[in-house]
């Protein structure tokens, strides 16, 4: 199938892109095109104008500044995959990226495109939630910042206005020795997750959990932080038994059905993915009861 007719724009600066988006009726932004192009070809979206962000060099960068890693919205998923800074500071991003599509899709696909497309199973959204990422969005009135937890308003609906562009994502750096884990069940490697889980654990010198973050992906209509489980883990010594018991709460999430998988099946799988992600995180954090 071919996309519907549209006018194409190729701005070289963010100001130009914001100006176009603020004045054109029924415009759409193009990032890596890995989700948008299929949707255009299938005519699920019918824009009159397409504004290509690929010529805006300032939107593509990975840097470290004052306790956070700053990533431009147009940074390719493949560049994140091989960034030594990401490996050193927020390796959970790379653990999630191992499950995102294929080398070819990651070569073009961007972090900003994945967050704004907001598929409930998108690994980068699940990871960004777990890392308490902060987003910077720019519109005609200037810039605003919002926490990733405020970003999903509902199924594939980000909290971004029609005249706004996601500019960048900030990830708080993780302390040395922290643990991270990502577990996923998909029909084939590279497919969207039936259920996934991302976890971060910080331990004190005595091996007790001081910080826990756990997010389920692909289970509900948006990735879901499991704050009750997180709170229940703080102060505990990590063990498989503890995680198995606490992760039972994952079965209480309001799951979604789709053409291939029932919500009931997702309720069975979610606790297993959560336990596996936490086990990986505990092993990486050096928990005594869990072998790395
Ligand atoms: C075969 C295949 C397998 C895939 N498997 C997976 C998978 O397993 N997991 C997964 O998460 N994804 C998967 N994807 C999707 C892929 O990760 C896409 O890269 C991602 O969903 C969208 O990123 P993009 O840069 O291509 O954005 P685009 O497709 O260009 O845009 C997506 C949407 O976001 C909007 N947008 C883009 N950038 C911005 C911005 N800066 N500000 C505001 N709005 C913006 C666009 O207007 C559009 O609505 C797969 C894709 C393919 C083709």
């Amino acid at each position: 199938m071919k996309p519907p007719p549209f006018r194409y724009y190729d701005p070289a600066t963010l100001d130009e892109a914001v100006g176009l988006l603020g004045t054109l009726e029924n415009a759409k932004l193009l990032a890596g095109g890995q989700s948008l192009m299929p949707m255009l070809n299938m005519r699920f979206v019918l824009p009159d104008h397409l504004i290509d962000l690929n010529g805006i060099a300032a939107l593509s960068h990975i840097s470290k500044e004052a306790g956070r890693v700053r990533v431009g919205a147009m940074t390719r998923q493949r560049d994140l995959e091989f960034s030594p800074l990401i490996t050193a500071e927020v390796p959970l991003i790379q653990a999630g990226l191992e499950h995102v599509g294929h080398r070819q899709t990651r070569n073009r696909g961007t972090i900003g495109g994945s967050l704004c497309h907001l598929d409930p199973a998108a690994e980068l959204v699940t990871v960004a939630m777990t890392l308490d990422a902060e987003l910077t969005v720019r519109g005609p009135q200037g810039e605003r910042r919002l926490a990733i937890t405020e970003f999903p308003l509902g199924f594939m609906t980000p909290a971004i206005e029609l005249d706004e562009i996601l500019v960048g994502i900030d990830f708080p750096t993780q302390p040395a020795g922290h643990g991270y884990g990502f577990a996923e069940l998909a029909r084939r490697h590279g497919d969207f997750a039936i259920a996934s889980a991302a976890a971060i654990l910080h331990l004190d010198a005595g091996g007790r959990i001081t910080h826990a973050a756990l997010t389920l992906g692909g289970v509900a209509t948006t990735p879901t932080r499991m704050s009750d489980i997180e709170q229940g883990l703080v102060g505990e010594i990590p063990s498989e038994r503890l995680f198995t018991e606490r992760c039972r709460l994952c079965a209480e999430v309001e799951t979604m059905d789709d053409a291939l998988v029932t919500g009931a099946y997702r309720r069975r799988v979610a606790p297993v993915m959560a336990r596996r992600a936490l086990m990986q995180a505990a092993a990486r954090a050096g928990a005594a009861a869990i072998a790395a």
Side-chain angles (χ1 to χ4, degrees):
M1 292 208 21
K2 293 214 165 62
F6 52 76
R7 282 199 67 177
Y8 173 81
Y9 302 80
D10 188 18
T13 66
L14 187 55
D15 283 346
E16 211 185 319
V18 170
L20 285 167
L21 196 58
T23 48
L24 297 171
E25 281 284 323
N26 190 26
K28 200 84 184 128
L29 296 169
L30 173 68
Q34 298 304 298
S35 297
L36 184 59
M37 290 316 296
M39 289 181 78
L40 285 172
N41 289 345
M42 289 186 278
R43 304 205 172 195
F44 288 152
V45 284
L46 302 162
D48 293 315
H49 307 279
L50 199 64
I51 303 168
D52 189 345
L53 299 178
N54 284 276
I56 307 176
L59 287 179
S60 185
H61 58 84
I62 306 171
S63 61
K64 188 178 165 190
E65 191 185 294
R68 52 204 174 139
V69 172
R70 312 201 77 182
V71 178
M74 282 298 292
T75 305
R76 307 283 170 198
Q77 295 161 8
R78 195 79 172 147
D79 291 333
L80 291 166
E81 204 177 330
F82 290 105
S83 159
L85 187 57
I86 298 292
T87 310
E89 304 290 353
V90 271
L92 179 63
I93 295 176
Q94 291 169 342
L97 275 168
E98 280 178 26
H99 300 269
V100 177
H102 311 278
R103 189 177 300 176
Q104 292 84 347
T105 65
R106 295 194 298 273
N107 276 337
R108 291 299 299 169
T110 65
I111 182 168
S114 181
L115 297 190
C116 292
H117 186 62
L118 203 62
D119 189 289
E123 290 83 356
L124 284 172
V125 186
T126 305
V127 158
M129 285 261 209
T130 313
L131 291 168
D132 293 310
E134 194 180 36
L135 312 182
T136 304
V137 164
R138 172 109 167 254
Q141 315 306 327
E143 269 186 12
R144 67 182 175 99
R145 296 172 74 83
L146 72 163
I148 182 78
T149 43
E150 299 165 15
F151 197 55
L153 296 177
F155 180 70
M156 296 182 82
T157 310
I160 187 164
E161 300 297 330
L162 287 174
D163 57 2
E164 288 182 322
I165 298 177
L166 175 64
V167 176
I169 305 100
D170 286 359
F171 297 95
T173 56
Q174 296 295 312
H178 80 283
Y180 63 94
F182 194 96
E184 173 165 318
L185 178 74
R187 280 161 63 89
R188 296 169 304 189
H189 186 81
D191 280 6
F192 278 97
I194 292 170
S196 69
I200 290 281
L201 289 177
H202 300 175
L203 307 185
D204 67 15
R208 288 190 186 276
I209 298 170
T210 56
H211 168 77
L214 178 68
T215 308
L216 293 180
V219 171
T221 50
T222 65
T224 309
R225 267 296 276 266
M226 301 304 296
S227 34
D228 287 352
I229 297 181
E230 295 169 358
Q231 283 158 22
L233 291 175
V234 172
E236 301 286 349
I237 301 272
S239 70
E240 183 159 15
R241 193 169 159 181
L242 171 75
F243 294 149
T244 305
E245 189 198 304
R246 297 293 152 86
C247 289
R248 289 201 184 107
L249 270 180
C250 295
E252 291 177 19
V253 170
E254 196 174 325
T255 49
M256 58 176 178
D257 292 306
D258 61 31
L260 297 171
V261 181
T262 63
Y265 182 66
R266 287 189 159 94
R267 279 193 290 283
R268 294 282 298 273
V269 175
V272 179
M273 293 302 116
R275 173 174 49 80
R276 287 184 188 168
L278 286 165
M279 288 289 286
Q280 286 176 25
R284 285 183 169 124
I290 296 168

